[in-house]
Amino acid sequence: MNNFVNLTAICLLATAFNTAQAQCYRLVWEDEFDGTELDTTAWSYQIGDGCPVNCTWGNGELQWYTRENLEVSGGTMKINIREETVGISTYTSVRLRTYQKMHWTTGRFEARMKLPVGKGLWPAFWMLPEDNRYGIWPTSGEIDIMEMVGHQPFKVYGTIHYGPAYPANQYTGNNYDSPTSGLHEDFHIYAIEWEENEIRWYLDGVLYSTMTPDNLAPYPWRFNRDFHLLLNCAVGGNFPGYPDGTATFPQVMEVDYVRVYQDASKTIVSGPELVLPNSGNTEYYVQPLEGASYTWSVPSDATIISGQGTAQTVIEWGENSGNIEVIMESPACTTSVDLPVEVYKPDCVEALLDYEGTARVSWISSDAVYQDNISNPAPDAVNSSPTVARYDRNPGISYNVLRFTADGFNDAAVMKDEFVVLEMDVYTNAPPGAQISLQLENMQLASLPYPSGRNSVFQANTSVTNAWQRLRFNFTLAPDGGTPNNRINQFLILFQPGTSSNAFFWFDNVNLVDPACIADGIAAPAAEFAGQAWPNPAADMLNWRGPQPGLEAELLDQLGRVQRILPLNGTEASWSLQGLEDGVYWLRVRTEAGWSAIQFVKMSN
């Protein structure tokens, strides 16, 4: 059939699928392979041996994947596995996926197949995450609906992969022997039923494995987001071993159909759960279902820009938090689902990540040792928090990256235009001038070669060693201008990028700051600690003298945006104003008593 089907409610009774209770699934997509060509609106080919990114597909496999080995005829799809040489590969086969075309969160996924047999053959029906939200494989998960190794023709394996990146990766699963016939002798139905915190595996309707978050402890459950399907047959590799002469070629992996069912009440609304006030062009969607109508509703001061009546809508937010709700109605049933969304308002300073309980971003992975919730190495007036984080830079990696989710950064435009700015407290043993970069990315696009997916880069430089300072990050670069500002889902910190430094960085209080708010209140700190600045107005040079030694200083414009970091060590200093435009500025000075400010005018002669 190779197309979406009508929303006929299909009640999968407990007796049919051996579930604990009857459940009403709806068939939302199927491929019956009734034609003579692959449906490329749903499937894509993966060609080659995985190089240069993932040679031998990460498993020591021997095959080269082609288009030519695929055949659709007689109501089935056939993956032909041949012994022939392409490049350095000695076998050919096929690998298909629905990536960026068909993807789902939860449901029943099944395929009816007859599998190849023989040592070294490795057919699989499996799922990978659509957006790698939590990081590279397997940190975002993998679901193996069916794997079989050719020298065990009666046994099916069902597995999930999770945990840290290789080589600390984890997997858990079970296997089951067919009681009727070999998996190569006849067609069998392989399926999972996937709910929010549970996945169940079936062979011909017999439940043989169940996994929940408890089975993964202490590792997090990463299986509540969209995944896509894959079908392939590998030859050789770490799991099946290698052909030993007992397997004859060609072999065939034959697929009668692939079907996807979903429980309408468990559809998930996808989109940012944390937005800034007045964020525009924010997209939300549910998995599209042929024949259904959609009615979206939003908080009273939010506006639906487009998409009413469809499975995807675009919203412009106002000032208030609230639920997005969509009512899905079909001839078979009507249900509604919603998503709570928080509109948070930077009240001068809004914490995104500290280590006293605020965490609006979540750690994904790092290229070196990252420790959170450790003791502050030197509490002072800048940062008196008892707990902070530490990153020990790996000198063997030029671009050390610390990755977080970025739900709070759904609208990068407000930061690039400096309506709000990013700040972070840093303490390091690196010499002054050490660069730190913050980067906003779309993870899905960033899996492609640089600069794909890299929306924006913000930079700051340290000015002291072994002391806390508050860095403000300035927008410096948009590597991929084609990545939309509202498609950000990953937040990166890069310490001394492009170097071989082995420095340590303690950090804390990653904040969004309203610079206008800071500018309005900047005179509030008593100027008694700020000292004197002259001349005022100043032309080419500004002088400063204070009652206490100055530790650091910065020059801000009227909106509170940092224009220059000024060297300061002692009770007197002079700074050049060359290149600074005429206008009103703030000189901020930090002493042991804290920050204070002096307003002055820059006026050329």
Side-chain angles (χ1 to χ4, degrees), residues 337-501:
V337 293
D338 60 20
L339 177 71
V341 178
E342 180 184 354
V343 176
Y344 68 98
K345 307 166 187 177
D347 184 13
C348 290
V349 176
E350 177 74 20
L352 291 175
L353 178 66
D354 60 32
Y355 295 92
E356 279 73 52
T358 301
R360 297 184 184 275
V361 297
S362 302
W363 175 76
I364 299 173
S365 63
S366 59
D367 290 332
V369 178
Y370 164 67
Q371 304 173 72
D372 57 12
N373 299 309
I374 64 172
S375 297
N376 188 333
D380 61 12
V382 176
N383 189 315
S384 59
S385 300
T387 53
V388 297
R390 171 170 161 162
Y391 189 82
D392 295 13
R393 200 182 183 288
N394 182 349
I397 300 177
S398 296
Y399 290 88
N400 274 221
V401 179
L402 182 58
R403 299 171 180 85
F404 295 85
T405 62
D407 286 336
F409 298 98
N410 71 292
D411 186 3
V414 296
M415 280 159 284
K416 292 158 75 173
D417 295 335
E418 297 186 332
F419 292 115
V420 294
V421 294
L422 288 159
E423 285 188 350
M424 181 169 67
D425 293 349
V426 175
Y427 180 107
T428 179
N429 64 348
Q435 184 186 104
I436 303 174
S437 293
L438 304 182
Q439 190 163 308
L440 304 184
E441 288 188 356
N442 177 282
M443 277 193 299
Q444 185 170 321
L445 295 175
S447 63
L448 302 174
Y450 184 88
S452 298
R454 283 74 170 182
N455 172 278
S456 47
V457 177
F458 304 78
Q459 292 182 347
N461 293 83
T462 63
S463 59
V464 297
T465 299
N466 294 328
W468 283 104
Q469 66 178 132
R470 185 154 296 154
L471 297 180
R472 179 169 291 184
F473 290 79
N474 296 313
F475 170 56
T476 56
L477 183 65
D480 182 3
T483 299
N485 290 325
N486 63 342
R487 288 292 182 91
I488 302 305
N489 53 25
Q490 190 176 58
F491 166 51
L492 279 57
I493 305 176
L494 289 81
F495 295 97
Q496 291 184 288
T499 73
S500 57
S501 167

Side-chain angles (χ1 to χ4, degrees), residues 3 61 71 83 94 126 134 255 279 288 324 386 483 494 504 568:
N3 58 359
E61 299 166 21
E71 177 186 351
E83 187 174 12
V94 174
W126 51 304
Y134 304 105
V255 185
S279 296
I324 297 175
T483 299
L494 289 81
F504 304 150
L568 180 58

